[in-house]
Amino acid sequence: MTLPDIRTGLGYDVHRIIPGGKLVLCGVQIPCGFGLDGHSDADVMVHALMDSLLGAAGLPDIGFHFPNTDDRFRGISSIVLLGEVLKLIAAEGFAVMNVDITLISERPKIMPHAPAMKMNVAKSLDVDPSRIGIKATTNEKLGFLGRGEGMAAICSCLIYKK
Ligand code: MG
């Protein structure tokens, strides 16, 4: 019996919150008076997503492909990098079945932006938006996430060999 080549992946990322600046989550700029520190646009949700896809395909992580020492990636849109990650896994013969991203942060409320976020990710991954999960939870005011010092995101995905 030949089993289908289906792979699961897990990604995690954290970025420091800084006053001012801009907050970009899944390619959507959310006005809230603070932003995330990072070399690219610091889109913490897309970073967790990219690492989950790369991990599922058995490829090295985003730090390997898009090092923060490389000026080409300064301020770059992570949604653009996500398109590059799709190319990397497609080169290994994989396509995306679904992804499920959770943001862990006390604020802001992101669910009003979820449809636009889903659309951006779906477009970059060439799948229907129904295959993209966008969720959020707080850290119950505990630890660095609870104190609003940073934002974290975790993502799982399923990919399959075409
Ligand atoms: Mg990151």
Side-chain angles (χ1 to χ4, degrees):
M1 183 175 82
T2 311
L3 292 170
D5 197 349
I6 298 174
R7 313 274 187 93
T8 181
L10 178 70
Y12 173 75
D13 194 29
V14 172
H15 280 259
R16 185 184 296 275
I17 288 177
I18 48 171
K22 58 176 185 173
L23 178 67
V24 178
L25 296 172
C26 291
V28 177
Q29 195 173 333
I30 301 172
C32 64
F34 62 87
L36 294 177
D37 194 20
H39 184 68
S40 65
D41 63 358
D43 191 329
V44 67
M45 294 177 77
V46 171
H47 290 185
L49 167 55
M50 291 193 285
D51 263 351
S52 76
L53 292 169
L54 290 166
L59 295 171
D61 64 18
I62 55 171
F64 173 85
H65 294 287
F66 314 115
N68 62 11
T69 48
D70 192 330
D71 269 353
R72 281 181 304 155
F73 305 123
R74 184 175 299 280
I76 198 167
S77 163
S78 297
I79 280 286
V80 170
L81 297 180
L82 180 59
E84 295 302 311
V85 166
L86 180 68
K87 285 183 202 162
L88 287 168
I89 69 164
E92 302 292 317
F94 290 107
V96 174
M97 187 88 88
N98 78 298
V99 308
D100 185 12
I101 319 169
T102 298
L103 179 75
I104 307 158
S105 187
E106 301 300 318
R107 64 194 176 93
K109 297 248 176 279
I110 63 156
M111 292 325 282
H113 304 283
M117 295 163 82
K118 272 188 183 208
M119 200 57 78
N120 286 344
V121 172
K123 219 182 271 179
S124 283
L125 294 181
D126 196 26
V127 296
D128 190 86
S130 66
R131 293 178 183 270
I132 311 299
I134 300 286
K135 314 199 300 298
T137 186
T138 72
N139 215 42
E140 293 291 338
K141 300 209 161 61
L142 295 169
F144 73 94
L145 295 170
R147 289 190 297 272
E149 294 166 15
M151 274 188 189
I154 191 164
C155 179
S156 70
C157 71
L158 208 64
I159 63 174
Y160 64 97
K161 205 151 227 179
K162 286 197 272 192

